Amino acid sequence: MDRYPVISADCHAGADLLDYRDYLDPRYREEFDGWAETYVNPFADLTDPDAERNWNSDRRNGELDREGIAGEVIYPNTVPPFFPHGSLAAPPPQTPRELELRWAGLRAHNRWLADFCSLSPDRRAGVGQILLGDLDEAVAEVAHIAKLGLRGGMLLPGVVPGTGIPPLYAEHWEPLWAACEEAGVVVNHHGGSAGPSPTDGWDSSFAVWVYETHWWAHRALWHLILSGALDRHPDLTVVFTEQGAGWIPATLTSLDVATVRYGRPNSAIARFAGPTAGSLTLKPSEYWNRQCYVGASFLRPVECAERHDIGVDRIMWGSDYPHLEGTAPYTREALRHTFSDVPTDEVAAMVGGTAAAVYGFDLEALAPLVDRIGPTVAEVAETLPAVPADASSTAFEADPIRAW
């Protein structure tokens, strides 16, 4: 192998707001016109000229070519119809009508995304969206996501406490897990969507939110394990994206210890924990190794050093294009920064091979593109002498413990 087939397991895209109109069910279009006329987008990066990177297919491919990225898993980014802001962290709808309209908006996004992926079918795997306010609708949309050919799978929203939606460990969600397993739809859980919004007005609100946001997303791992969902559905694949990677080894060790205690006969803790966790057929770390992956944006060197404890075959590197904290325009430098001293076979797995297997990328079909744009093995193996002075990506952050 001369060049690495690089597949970013974490990119973002979406339509320009008014372009969603034709993808809406016709009965919602007139209401959309009125809503869109007064809507003010709160995100500066979605109102400047570079926002077109979300929907301009040719520009997007050109920029990814320069970065050496042959394939991408596409999460949402722009604002869908009838949402107050981006769907990942939007507050829950307050009325049945609001829920209905948001469903219409997400379905429009999923249809748009299928068309967008069809423009470059070999290099794009779109992640469809659902809502959790109506289980039957969610199950139906999983089938629709599969029918649309969105091989990136389904984006599982987080459940914010106090919203009245059952937590992810509730038996309520059993039909959803079964539907995803049966359809072969990957379940993706992205950081930033599971915790309370920083809207209480205190000066420290956003700092606390930034610190806690990954932890809220991590909870889905132990919810799905301790509820027995992964035990009952061994063919269900779950990916935890853009929420770090260094947390995984300690969390798996903690879960392994906990479930041993829960299964010990006659122990007091087992009586408190209840029967489900104590009856698991595998250790939590074994469920991880069988069914779970991390979409590791951006896998800093300090996290890469833990790759064997995480599982080299569980890690999928991500660039987070087109976000400010993403690796562009220094993706090639970011790859050198993290992987220069890592064996070639391990690099190949983490930067593309595993993502190709999880999301169904055809590496043979991508080979001509990789031959043209892919980073060479020699290039990635060359130590980066210095971080680019204007690099804004957290991929280049130093080991925070040593810095402290």
Side-chain angles (χ1 to χ4, degrees), residues 181-203:
E181 182 182 42
E182 180 180 355
V185 169
V186 176
V187 175
N188 302 276
H189 193 56
H190 194 284
S193 69
S197 298
T199 55
D200 54 20
W202 301 105
D203 289 345

Side-chain angles (χ1 to χ4, degrees), residues 126-148:
V127 179
Q129 296 189 76
I130 66 167
L131 290 168
L132 296 180
D134 187 314
L135 176 58
D136 291 339
E137 294 281 6
V139 169
E141 192 60 21
V142 165
H144 190 228
I145 286 169
K147 184 177 180 181
L148 286 170

Side-chain angles (χ1 to χ4, degrees), residues 375-391:
T376 66
V377 171
E379 173 189 354
V380 174
E382 185 178 352
T383 302
L384 187 69
V387 172
D390 59 341

